[in-house]
Amino acid sequence: MLNAIWSEFIQPIMRRPSRYQVAALCFRRDGERLEILLITSLETRRWILPKGWPKTGFDAGGVALEEAWEEAGVKPRGGKPRLIGRYRYDKRLRGGIPLPTDVDVFAIETEKLYDTYPEVGRRERRWMSPQDAAEAVDEPELKDLLANADELLAVSSR
């Protein structure tokens, strides 16, 4: 019985390839001060970046823009989203099964936040300094990315 559970369920999960998502690192500058927008996840209420699965008809940057709008009401300042990094986390599927997921992170300069957007009332959103944002998230690689956001955004805008 235990052998069957191992070979039919656990081993296939462990061999499952990584999944792929796209995240939006929405930012604004108040003079020299950089702020990053975090939102809460729907179920656990953890602080995260807006993110989602690839969508037909969108490139990765387009998915980042779409998720920023749907989940946080972001109006971008303009220009194409810029890939600034990647992190990995374990996406919890129904039943609590972890699935390794790679996330490409795109920088989106934010002009304003709308009060009405698809997921209004379902998530909290908050502007934070890069250091506060890094402390607020759970994923170690995302913490590093957020802590280095000033540098990453400066490099990607050259």
Side-chain angles (χ1 to χ4, degrees):
M1 172 81 171
L2 188 56
N3 193 16
I5 291 171
W6 174 259
S7 63
E8 293 177 33
F9 297 103
I10 297 174
Q11 276 187 322
I13 289 169
M14 292 173 66
R15 286 193 305 258
R16 188 178 286 173
S18 295
R19 295 296 174 110
Y20 173 73
Q21 288 188 309
V22 176
L25 189 148
C26 304
F27 70 96
R28 68 182 183 187
R29 293 197 185 273
D30 182 10
E32 291 295 312
R33 185 179 161 186
L34 173 66
E35 293 181 308
I36 295 170
L37 183 68
L38 293 185
I39 62 171
T40 54
S41 66
L42 290 174
E43 293 182 20
T44 64
R45 311 304 290 172
R46 292 177 306 107
W47 289 107
I48 61 170
L49 295 176
K51 67 178 178 300
W53 303 104
K55 296 179 183 181
T56 303
F58 290 89
D59 63 7
V63 171
L65 284 169
E66 185 74 8
E67 294 300 328
W69 157 247
E70 289 178 2
E71 297 182 358
V74 167
K75 178 183 182 185
R77 184 162 299 282
K80 190 173 177 160
R82 299 178 318 268
L83 178 64
I84 60 166
R86 173 178 271 209
Y87 71 96
R88 177 175 273 203
Y89 80 110
D90 285 334
K91 172 79 174 167
R92 296 279 171 192
L93 302 178
R94 288 191 180 146
I97 298 170
L99 180 65
T101 303
D102 292 318
V103 182
D104 279 344
V105 179
F106 286 80
I108 298 175
E109 188 170 4
T110 303
E111 183 174 317
K112 75 180 225 174
L113 298 179
Y114 288 102
D115 293 330
T116 303
Y117 54 98
E119 295 189 11
V120 67
R122 298 182 65 202
R123 301 175 186 272
E124 187 179 340
R125 58 187 182 179
R126 185 175 302 158
W127 289 106
M128 299 182 191
S129 71
Q131 291 68 36
D132 289 344
E135 290 174 19
V137 299
D138 289 340
E139 299 82 5
E141 292 176 21
L142 180 55
K143 283 179 181 292
D144 291 343
L145 193 145
L146 293 172
N148 294 305
D150 260 322
E151 182 180 322
L152 292 169
L153 291 170
V155 168
S156 68
S157 65
R158 289 183 196 154

